[in-house]
């Protein structure tokens, strides 16, 4: 049963990634693209979790953890760039 | 003195003298010439001392091994031929040195002059005494070099520089051809020892390579001895000071070619090919040279062409491949050396004392400079071959031998042409003497100036002329034995009885030479008309031709080099990838085999397919939106994310971690750079170029992708990593095999890797430290933000969250580090995580705020890290283990429980420090210049605002 | 004591985080966690000047409340996204006057607003006294403002007493 | 386990320790930093000579890092070839560093000495390692260090050239990794000796892949060696580099050559099926073109440093003509000429520097300028350097070329090789004669030709002649001692062609 | 009838399904909502309940099914709770800036009204420092 | 549709994109091209250990099957080195732009060709 749940989850997240891609390419504003990229990071974390469950292995948590920790840095850096140009001032 | 020692001393003396002179330097003229003279004199003495035994038939050879691998020995030998030439080189050398001492003006660079002269003398001696052809080649090239220096002695004169370069180009080039010929000869003969080669005529002449060898060697000789069509350099070498001409262009350098012909006579001569080529070249040169000489006006030019003609005569004689011809050649070598050197010196005297060398401005000088006149006239007579002088005998013999030769099946050809040439040479010889010393002076000024020089200057030519006279009067007594033995040496077997004398009774030869004399007189008489007649004749100026040839080559090559080599990165990269494409296709086709291997694949999940689509489309988007740099960055980070996901999917947690953290840092770096770079500059590439690049790109992608496919569908070939898996825990003390590989199995790689990163940090620092100066500084000061920006620099939410994040992320970093040896993580990843934690502070709270709170400088971090890693590695040596060997053990403490201590972890500390230091150094430095730029800009804005308000 | 542990709350958090991270409640892990919990705050003290005092009980209560709200609000917004047509959608800007003093408090407040779906805190006024919030669907903005203030800000005032 | 067994690692350890130490002290006590750097150079030279002596007995010494047995760990291999290269590198480093210090070029920017040391570490590591991936790593070390050194002193010309140099090499490194991936995928090993054994067992289906890998790898090496058409990056890069650095770079292209003669016989020898001697058919033509283009550049170059840069290309071509013979005697000739041409190239760059310093605004351009200090002697040095670079007697170049001519005489297309070598020599001679006569003979009155823009005051310290003199003395010594040298290179060549022996020495009885 | 399936399985599966669905809904919102400010609400689902659900699911899974005591999930959510609002906030600010400099599409909510004080939003006006500044530690 | 195909084709696409970008005329594009290319190269090197799902090379007594750890270690090294190189290239590109005012990879500066010709003929 969990297996089915995982497959369902995978399917959902695959679809989600596809939708993110659409927004990433469509824009229109650069903010939309950044948002899409940020959402991809979140969905990727979810996928990594599912892979962990599917493989009954805990050795992928670090990846998820790291993404949760530093994944947003890119996003804020992009925004800071748009706001200030100089991201470290 | 023992002959072997004599030989070495002979060859080394001049070089030692040259060194001495150079060492003394300055303008101690007397000292310079003194040393040179002493050197030559000592050499001459040695030769004389050895002469008896050598002429007596003894042969002496000495050898020191040098480079056995190529059969090069420092071996010298002396036989009559060598003896004669050595005598000439040293004897005339001595006279030239004396002459030169008086000839050179005060304040001329006598050190350079005499040093080069001695260098040349040594090289010449080396040629004539070499017992190994490779050694001979070495000295051969040395003569080219030293003559280059001597001809260019008056470096301020353009014609001197050009003449020198021309001589070097022709003789040096000829020398290279000669190298080819000689090395081939040696290979065919099976040895580079001269004696062995001379003894192996049958082998050589039987070899299919013989024609090649012959032609190559002949080119070498002809260029050196100024044979047609390589003669043109010699007249322009007359830009040299007269002593140099007297030395190089009468007796020595130009005779080197003749010497080599004589030297190799036994092994090369005797074939039809040899006879035809050498004879005809000699014949043509002899005639052509004589003809031109008749119509030249510059004394030295006349002498130069006469030399060409006389050398042609010698070459022709050697070409006959007849014994007596060789004898004639040997005798004429002696004669020519004597009278030609004398003539050059007298020409120098005339030039020196009257101020001109133009024969059209001189005349009747006999009154003003009688001694010079006597010397010159006698020498000219010898050149003309008038009895009772030595020149007569040798020319007589020459003419006699011509009758023996039928060229191209025409028995009359050689005698007739030879007679014509003889006539011409009588003509120019008479003209030289007559127009110079007799008749009425053509111009008053030089005539008035002219007077005999001091004895120091005319002594040398006088001696030489005396020799020429005596050679005519007492040939047998003076030169009989010498000539006989030399000729014997040339031919390689003893001669039949030899009779040198002025009178051989009435024969063809006598008639021919009488015709020549008569014709010569006629030529002199009608010289004016002839001049007019030949004036219309076009005279191709060799110099102009040579120079336009060189200039043409220069422009051509330069055009090619410039168009192809003007640095163009696009061309470089394109070339590289094109080569790769070609190479891969070639390999695949030639190698054969199959594309798809037997290994069965893994099914792809929907997520995998979507991720794949994501990656491909994002890549396409990068290419498509290449101009919008910022947007492209977003796509890039998406690609990075997918790759991280792939690493997770394919059981590479460590790689996923690395990919994720490196990705973040890279993006920060690119953003920092992009801030100062154009955001969306117009694209450069034309559309055809895009198609071209696209084609290469697609090919490359196809090939590499194909290779990846081929690789992935094959079974692994029992990789060494099975050992790593088996020994990671037991031998490396860690369960994370990747980490154990990094810090233990292949720690040496990691050492290099962190050093690469450290260097990158240092290099970036060095690169950016200068940015605020120079044109970059100026550009930064006038730097304009291309888009308006928000005034808020530190958004409160961002700032505050990063403050709680810092300790949290740091603890995560510590965690990643500590468990790295057993679980995914490790020093590198930990370093990046910690670096990001601090970079967040830079991002949120700004550079100054964060920088003020930093504790350790990055340089120190890098240095410390490398040292820790190195010391950890070296620690093993104490325990008799190899560099980077590790140790680990498990300990148990009360309450704490069991834990592991591994030296590999210490190594990982080094990794951590270097990586952290390098990353922080790079980004801090980069953000710093951005900040400086922004500040400079801000300052300017404020200024303007202040202006506006006022 | 206060110099050794400048910020007990942070230290405690770090210990907890550490234990969660190493996934192990053994004394060894705890010991190391405590070391880190003590050292890191000292090491990072300069990076967090003027840390506020926090009422932890109130804080934990607040945290629970937010969690609950998140779950509820998620369903509401999900419904909106799934079933409400764009033209029926009534997005609005809410301007929330701030009574919170410390930037930490403001940050937590804004964070809460963002985490609870349907609202995203967008900006703070230059004077620091207003919070700009975007609501996905707010037919009556003022009501939402009041709800936010009463439900979160009031409580946060207690947390950051 | 005596210290001699650890000697193999010394050439890597010494600079790797000196660099961080210099880095630490340099900021406060420059003199001490320079001292460390010089001591390290001397120590490297000693270690290299010791290794040269040790290798002369013909035994191949291996050093297993971390005590992990080959092929599972990384192993250093000290045979005659690597000993020669190490010694050459060490000698060159002494010369280059001495020049940098004496001319104070090392002060023209940050971190010269640490970068220099790391550069040496990279070179030595590359020459010693018996592991293909480790070779890649050391390539990267010496490359990144070379980036830093190449840009030392900066200025627009260097920066512009630097961008191209860096990017081209990054491309090269990426290709290296692709080749490595293929080879590991096929053979499952990274140890060269082991790889050499394993390629023999590769089935017919995989031959294409194997050949691709081999050719790709050699292409990468050819890029480093600046073999036409992969040479375009070199001329400007070397011409604009700080002379002391350019002198050191004289060995950089030789790293590529070394890798070719190390890897091809060891891994892609007779046993390698479709990859056996894979590059052979293409190496000779490429080398011939390289020799001619290189000396063609010398023929037309407008400045001494540019000439030196092209001479480096030409010498690589000449060298690879010999390599392409793949016989013991041709490889021996190649090795001898390799040593010679490296020193000759260095000498040229250094002499160019002397001239540039003395002619101030006229730099080392092939144009007449006013008289300058020690002109006579500088002219002599140039003459010597040019003689060496073109391979005229009496310096070692002539012997080197004779060696090549004789050794390739039994190789197919030898006629072409001979023609190329002799012709390139001729145009080289003419080119150097031109620049030399223009700079040292042709004079313009100082009044007539004022110095160019941005002219610096002429430096006339005689100290800057020390390093080039050393280089030329070494060339002379190489010429006089050619007998012994060629014996060594001959045995080195024999050793590196006997891949079985190497494999046995590295892997033991497997 | 579901005796074969343990309660744990059901709960876990439920959590996973809910989480995944919310993630999907979030991304769907990202696509369909009218303007950036509205879209910004979508991903917050994914982060909060979406991932939250999945994390709880995974936590329970490892606890109940495999019997591993894993707590990483809690950490992951902790970090997400801290970072997600920052991302949202920064994106929103970037949007505000974009609205001002390029007159971009303000969306149905229109442009943000000025705060009822004399000062403007921080994105538009240099904020007065409300972050206390402590002198940096001197031990460096 | 196997994972092998996905990876191989992805590598191909990345290489194509990388080469194309690396051939552009401005430094920034070129650097991005190299980044793409290095992604591909890292994947390629990784692929030399073949693809393995759910077999992370974390040794444990119970497990017998692992992914090949060696390529992972190599790729890790490669990623680090590539990062260092890319960082340097980026900074250099920026530095050269600041110095010369042009971010074009080509276009000759201080060429030795603008000097007066001193051909082999003359002088
Ligand atoms: Na070990
Ligand atoms: Na041979």
């Amino acid at each position: 049963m969990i297996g089915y749940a995982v497959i369902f989850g995978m399917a959902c997240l695959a679809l989600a990634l596809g939708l993110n891609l659409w927004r990433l390419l469509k824009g229109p504003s650069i903010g939309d693209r950044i948002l899409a990229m940020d959402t991809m990071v979140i969905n990727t974390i979810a996928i990594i979790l599912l892979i962990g469950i599917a493989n009954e292995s805990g050795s992928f948590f670090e990846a998820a953890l790291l993404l949760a920790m530093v994944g947003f840095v890119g996003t804020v850096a992009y925004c800071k760039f748009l706001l200030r140009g100089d991201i470290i001032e | 003195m023992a002959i072997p020692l004599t030989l070495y001393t002979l060859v080394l003396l001049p070089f030692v003298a040259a060194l001495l002179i150079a060492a003394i330097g300055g303008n101690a003229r007397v000292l310079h010439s003194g040393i040179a003279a002493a050197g030559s004199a000592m050499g001459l003495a040695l030769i004389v001392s050895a002469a008896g035994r050598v002429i007596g038939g003894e042969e002496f050879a000495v050898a020191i091994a040098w480079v056995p691998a190529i059969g090069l020995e420092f071996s010298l030998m002396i036989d009559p031929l060598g003896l004669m030439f050595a005598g000439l080189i040293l004897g005339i050398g001595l006279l030239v040195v004396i002459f030169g001492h008086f000839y050179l003006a005060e304040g001329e660079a006598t050190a350079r002059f005499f040093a080069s002269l001695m260098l040349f003398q040594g090289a010449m001696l080396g040629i004539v005494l070499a017992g190994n052809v490779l050694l001979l080649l070495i000295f051969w090239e040395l003569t080219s070099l030293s003559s280059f220096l001597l001809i260019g002695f008056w470096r301020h004169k353009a014609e001197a520089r050009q003449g020198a370069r021309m001589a070097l180009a022709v003789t040096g080039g000829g020398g290279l051809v000669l190298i080819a010929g000689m090395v081939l000869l040696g290979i065919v003969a099976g040895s580079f020892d001269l004696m062995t080669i001379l003894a192996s005529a049958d082998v050589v002449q039987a070899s299919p390579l013989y024609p090649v060898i012959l032609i190559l060697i002949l080119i070498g000789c002809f260029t050196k001895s100024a044979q047609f069509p390589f003669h043109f350099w010699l007249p322009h070498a007359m830009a040299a000071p007269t002593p140099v001409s007297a030395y190089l262009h009468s007796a020595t350098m130009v005779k080197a070619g003749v010497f080599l012909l004589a030297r190799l006579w036994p092994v090369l001569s005797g074939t039809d090919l040899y006879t035809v080529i050498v004879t005809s070249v000699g014949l043509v040169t002899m005639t052509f040279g004589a003809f031109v000489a008749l119509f030249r006006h510059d004394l030295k030019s006349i002498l130069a062409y006469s030399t060409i003609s006389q050398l042609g005569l010698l070459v022709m004689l050697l070409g006959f491949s007849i014994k007596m011809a060789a004898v004639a050649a040997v005798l004429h070598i002696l004669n020519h050396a004597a009278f030609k050197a004398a003539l050059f010196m007298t020409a120098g005297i005339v030039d020196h004392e009257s101020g001109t060398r133009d024969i059209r401005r001189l005349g009747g000088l006999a009154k003003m400079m009688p001694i010079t006149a006597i010397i010159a006239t006698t020498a000219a007579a010898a050149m003309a071959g008038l009895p009772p002088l030595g020149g007569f005998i040798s020319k007589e013999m020459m003419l006699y031998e011509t009758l023996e030769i039928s060229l191209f099946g025409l028995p009359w050809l050689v005698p007739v042409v030879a007679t014509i040439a003889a006539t011409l040479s009588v003509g120019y010889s008479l003209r030289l003497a007559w127009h110079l010393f007799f008749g009425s002076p053509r111009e008053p000024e030089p005539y008035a100036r002219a007077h005999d020089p001091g004895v120091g200057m005319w002594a040398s030519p006088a001696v030489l002329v005396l020799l020429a006279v005596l050679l005519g009067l007492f040939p047998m007594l003076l030169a009989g034995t010498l000539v006989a033995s030399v000729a014997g040496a040339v031919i390689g077997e003893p001669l039949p009885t030899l009779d040198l004398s002025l009178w051989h009774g009435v024969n063809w030869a006598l008639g021919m030479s009488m015709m020549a004399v008569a014709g010569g007189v006629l030529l002199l008489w009608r010289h004016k008309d002839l001049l007019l007649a030949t004036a219309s004749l076009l005279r191709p100026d060799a110099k102009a031709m040579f120079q336009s040839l060189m200039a043409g080559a220069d422009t051509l090559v330069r055009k090619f080099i410039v168009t192809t080599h003007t640095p163009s990165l696009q061309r470089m990269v394109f070339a590289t990838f094109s080569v790769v494409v070609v190479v891969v296709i070639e390999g695949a086709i030639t190698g054969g085999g199959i594309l798809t291997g037997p290994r069965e694949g893994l099914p792809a999940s929907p997520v995998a397919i979507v991720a794949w689509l994501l990656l491909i489309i994002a890549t396409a988007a990068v290419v498509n939106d290449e101009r919008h740099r910022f947007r492209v960055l977003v796509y890039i980070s998406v690609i990075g994310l997918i790759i991280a996901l792939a690493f997770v999917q394919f059981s590479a947690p460590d790689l996923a971690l690395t990919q994720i953290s490196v990705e973040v840092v890279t993006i920060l770096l690119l953003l920092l750079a992009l801030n100062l770079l154009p955001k969306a500059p117009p694209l450069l590439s034309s559309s055809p170029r895009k198609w071209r690049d696209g084609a290469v790109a697609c090919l490359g992608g196809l090939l590499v992708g194909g290779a990846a496919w081929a690789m992935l569908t094959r079974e692994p070939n029992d990789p060494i990593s099975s050992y790593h898996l088996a020994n990671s825990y037991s031998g490396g003390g860690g369960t994370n095999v990747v980490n154990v590989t990094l810090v233990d199995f292949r720690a040496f790689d990691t050492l290099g890797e962190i050093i690469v990163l450290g260097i990158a940090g240092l290099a970036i620092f060095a690169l950016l430290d200068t940015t605020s100066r120079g044109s970059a500084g100026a550009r930064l000061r006038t730097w304009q933000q291309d888009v308006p920006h928000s005034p808020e620099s530190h958004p409160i939410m961002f700032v505050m969250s990063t403050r709680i994040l810092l300790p949290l992320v740091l603890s995560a970093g510590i965690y990643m580090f500590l468990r790295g040896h057993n679980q995914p993580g490790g020093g590198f990843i930990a370093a990046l995580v910690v670096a990001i934690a601090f970079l967040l502070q830079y991002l949120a709270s700004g550079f100054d705020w964060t920088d003020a709170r930093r504790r350790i400088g990055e340089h120190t971090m890098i240095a410390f890290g490398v040292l820790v890693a190195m010391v950890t590695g070296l620690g093993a040596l104490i325990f008799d283990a190899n560099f980077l060997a590790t140790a680990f053990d498990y300990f148990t403490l009360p309450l704490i429980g069991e834990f592991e201590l591994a030296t590999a972890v210490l190594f990982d500390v080094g990794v951590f420090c270097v990586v952290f230091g390098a990353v922080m150094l790079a980004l801090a430095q980069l953000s710093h210049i951005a900040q400086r730029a922004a500040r400079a800009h801000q300052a300017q804005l404020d200024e303007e605002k202040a202006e506006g308000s006022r | 004591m206060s110099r050794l542990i400048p910020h007990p709350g942070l230290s405690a958090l770090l210990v907890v985080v550490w234990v969660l991270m190493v996934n192990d409640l053994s004394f060894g892990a705890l010991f190391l966690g405590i070391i880190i919990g003590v050292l890191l705050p000292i090491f990072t003290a300069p990076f967090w000047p003027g840390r506020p005092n926090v009422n932890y009980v109130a804080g934990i209560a607040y945290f629970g409340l937010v969690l609950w709200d998140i779950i509820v609000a998620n369903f509401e917004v999900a419904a909106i996204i799934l079933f409400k047509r764009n033209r029926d959608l009534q997005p609005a800007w809410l301007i929330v006057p701030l009574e919170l003093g410390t930037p930490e408090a403001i940050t937590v407040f804004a964070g809460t607003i963002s985490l609870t779906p349907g609202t995203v805190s967008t900006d703070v006024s230059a004077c620091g006294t207003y919070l700009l919030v975007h609501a996905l669907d707010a037919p009556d903005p003022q009501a939402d403002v009041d709800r936010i203030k009463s439900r979160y800000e009031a409580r946060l005032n207690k947390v950051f007493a | 386990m005596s210290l001699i067994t650890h000697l193999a690692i010394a050439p890597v350890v010494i600079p790797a320790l000196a660099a961080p130490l210099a880095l630490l002290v340099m900021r406060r006590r420059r003199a001490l930093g320079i001292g460390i750097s010089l001591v390290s150079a001397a120590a490297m030279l000693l270690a290299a000579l010791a290794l040269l002596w040790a290798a002369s007995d013909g035994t191949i010494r291996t050093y297993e890092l971390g005590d992990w047995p080959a092929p599972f760990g990384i192993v250093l291999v000290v045979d005659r070839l690597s000993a020669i290269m190490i010694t050459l590198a060490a000698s060159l480093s002494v010369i280059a560093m001495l020049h940098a210090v004496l001319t104070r070029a090392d002060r023209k920017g940050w971190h010269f000495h640490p970068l220099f040391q790391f550069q040496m570490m990279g070179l030595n590591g590359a020459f010693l390692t018996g592991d293909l991936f480790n070779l890649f790593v050391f390539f990267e070390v010496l490359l990144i260090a070379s980036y830093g050194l190449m840009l030392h002193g900066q200025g627009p010309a260097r920066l512009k050239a630097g961008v191209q140099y860096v990017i081209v090499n990054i491309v090269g490194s990426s290709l290296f990794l692709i080749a490595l991936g293929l080879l590991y995928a096929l053979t499952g090993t990274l140890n060269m000796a082991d790889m050499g054994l394993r390629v023999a067992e590769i089935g017919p289906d995989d031959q294409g892949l194997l050949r691709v890998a081999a050719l790709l790898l050699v292409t990468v090496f050819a890029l480093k060696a600046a073999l036409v058409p992969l040479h375009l990056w070199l001329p400007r890069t070397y011409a604009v580099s700080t002379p002391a650095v350019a002198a050191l770079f004289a060995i950089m292209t030789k790293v590529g050559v070394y890798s070719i003669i190390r890897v091809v016989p060891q891994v892609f020898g007779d046993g390698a099926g479709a990859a056996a001697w894979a590059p052979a058919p293409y190496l000779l033509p490429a080398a011939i073109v390289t020799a001619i283009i290189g000396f063609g550049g010398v023929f037309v170059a407008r400045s001494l440093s540019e000439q030196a840069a092209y001479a480096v290309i030409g010498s690589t071509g000449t060298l690879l003509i010999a390599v392409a013979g793949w016989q013991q005697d041709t490889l021996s000739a190649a090795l001898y000429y390799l040593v010679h041409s490296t020193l000759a190239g260095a000498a040229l760059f250094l002499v160019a520097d002397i001239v540039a310093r003395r002619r101030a605004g006229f730099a080392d351009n092939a144009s007449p300028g006013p008289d300058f200090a020690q002109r006579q002697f500088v002219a002599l040095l140039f003459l010597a350097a040019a003689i060496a670079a073109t391979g005229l007697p009496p310096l070692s170049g002539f012997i080197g070329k004779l060696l090549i001519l004789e050794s390739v005489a039994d190789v197919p297309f030898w006629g072409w090789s001979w023609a190329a070598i002799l012709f390139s020599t001729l145009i080289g001679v003419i080119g150097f004669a031109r620049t030399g006569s223009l700079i040292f003979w042709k004079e313009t009155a100082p009044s007539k030709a004022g110095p160019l823009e941005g002219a610096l005051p002429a430096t006339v310290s005689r100290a800057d002649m020390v390093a080039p003199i050393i280089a030329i003395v070494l060339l002379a010594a190489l010429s006089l001692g050619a007998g012994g040298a060629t014996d060594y290179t001959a045995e080195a060549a024999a050793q590196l062609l006997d891949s079985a022996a190497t494999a046995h020495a590295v892997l033991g009885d497997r | 009838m579901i005796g074969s399936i343990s309660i744990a399985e059901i709960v876990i599966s439920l959590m996973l399904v809910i989480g995944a669905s919310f993630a999907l809904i979030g991304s769907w919102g990202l696509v369909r909502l009218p303007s950036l400010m509205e879209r910004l609400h979508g991903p917050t689902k994914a982060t909060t309940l979406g991932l939250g659900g999945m994390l709880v699911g995974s936590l329970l899974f490892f606890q109940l099914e495999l019997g591993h005591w894993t707590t990483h999930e809690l950490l992951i959510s902790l970090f997400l709770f801290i970072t997600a609002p920052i991302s949202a906030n920064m994106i929103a600010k970037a949007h505000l800036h974009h609205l001002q400099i390029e007159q971009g599409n303000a969306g149905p909510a229109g442009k943000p009204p000025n705060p009822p004080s004399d000062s403007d939003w921080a994105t538009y006006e240099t904020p007065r420092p409300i972050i206390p500044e402590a002198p940096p530690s001197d031990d460096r | 549709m196997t994972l092998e195909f996905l990876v191989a084709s992805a590598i191909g696409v990345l290489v194509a994109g990388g080469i194309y970008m690396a051939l552009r005329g401005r430094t920034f594009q070129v650097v991005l091209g190299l980044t793409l290319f290095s992604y591909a190269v890292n994947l390629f090197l990784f692929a030399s250990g073949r693809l393995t799902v759910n077999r992370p090379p974390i040794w444990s007594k119970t497990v017998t099957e692992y992914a090949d750890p060696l390529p992972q270690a190599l790729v890790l090294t490669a990623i680090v080195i590539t990062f260092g190189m890319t960082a340097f290239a980026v900074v250099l590109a920026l530095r050269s732009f600041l110095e010369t005012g042009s971010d074009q990879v080509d276009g000759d500066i201080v060429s030795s060709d603008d000097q007066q010709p001193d051909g082999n003929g003359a002088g």
Side-chain angles (χ1 to χ4, degrees), chain B residues 448-469:
Chain B
R449 269 184 56 180
H451 61 83
D452 269 321
V455 63
M457 231 165 152
W458 60 256
S460 305
V463 171
L464 288 164
V465 165
L466 191 62
L467 190 69
V469 174

Side-chain angles (χ1 to χ4, degrees), chain B residues 727 730-733 740 743-745 884-888 903-904, chain D residues 65-68:
Chain B
N727 291 270
S730 54
V740 174
V743 299
D744 203 336
F745 294 118
L884 286 176
T886 59
F888 62 94
T903 59
Chain D
L65 288 144
D67 287 327
W68 294 107

Side-chain angles (χ1 to χ4, degrees), chain B residues 783-800:
Chain B
W783 182 66
Q784 294 291 334
Q785 287 279 15
D786 39 14
V787 286
H789 285 146
S790 154
E792 183 190 32
S793 50
H794 309 303
I796 162 177
M797 272 186 80
F798 185 22
V799 173
M800 297 324 295

Side-chain angles (χ1 to χ4, degrees), chain B residues 262-416:
Chain B
R263 182 86 280 178
L264 296 176
W265 206 81
V267 62
L268 292 182
S269 73
T271 64
D272 297 346
L273 186 64
Y274 180 91
T275 314
V276 169
I277 296 177
V278 180
T279 308
S280 41
V281 168
L283 195 60
V284 172
T285 310
M286 172 168 72
T287 323
F288 167 84
F291 178 78
V292 177
L294 189 57
F295 302 107
R296 288 280 151 168
H297 305 303
D298 175 356
L299 285 180
K300 289 184 74 175
S301 177
I302 295 171
L303 293 177
Y305 277 100
S306 77
T307 306
I308 292 173
S309 163
Q310 303 279 344
L311 290 165
L313 185 158
L314 292 170
V315 168
M316 178 189 70
L317 281 172
L318 290 168
F320 288 174
S321 312
I322 303 173
K323 291 172 184 162
M324 287 317 291
V327 178
V330 171
L331 183 59
H332 196 69
I333 288 172
L334 282 174
N335 284 322
H336 179 253
F339 64 69
K340 185 53 62 67
L343 279 170
F344 267 116
M345 292 182 188
T346 46
I349 293 175
V350 170
D351 182 15
H352 205 262
E353 307 305 344
S354 73
T356 178
R357 286 184 343 214
D358 188 337
I359 198 166
R360 285 166 303 185
R361 302 182 51 207
L362 298 162
L365 288 178
K367 277 190 221 54
M368 309 301 287
M369 35 193 348
I371 306 172
T372 317
I374 295 166
I375 297 171
T377 318
T378 325
M383 181 158 73
L386 302 180
L389 299 161
F392 174 75
I393 301 178
S394 44
K395 181 183 286 180
E396 199 79 342
M397 291 173 78
M398 178 272 284
L399 291 170
Y400 185 84
E401 297 307 327
T402 56
L403 300 167
E404 311 274 312
I405 292 297
S406 99
L407 201 55
F408 310 118
L410 308 170
W412 51 267
L413 180 60
V414 181
V416 170

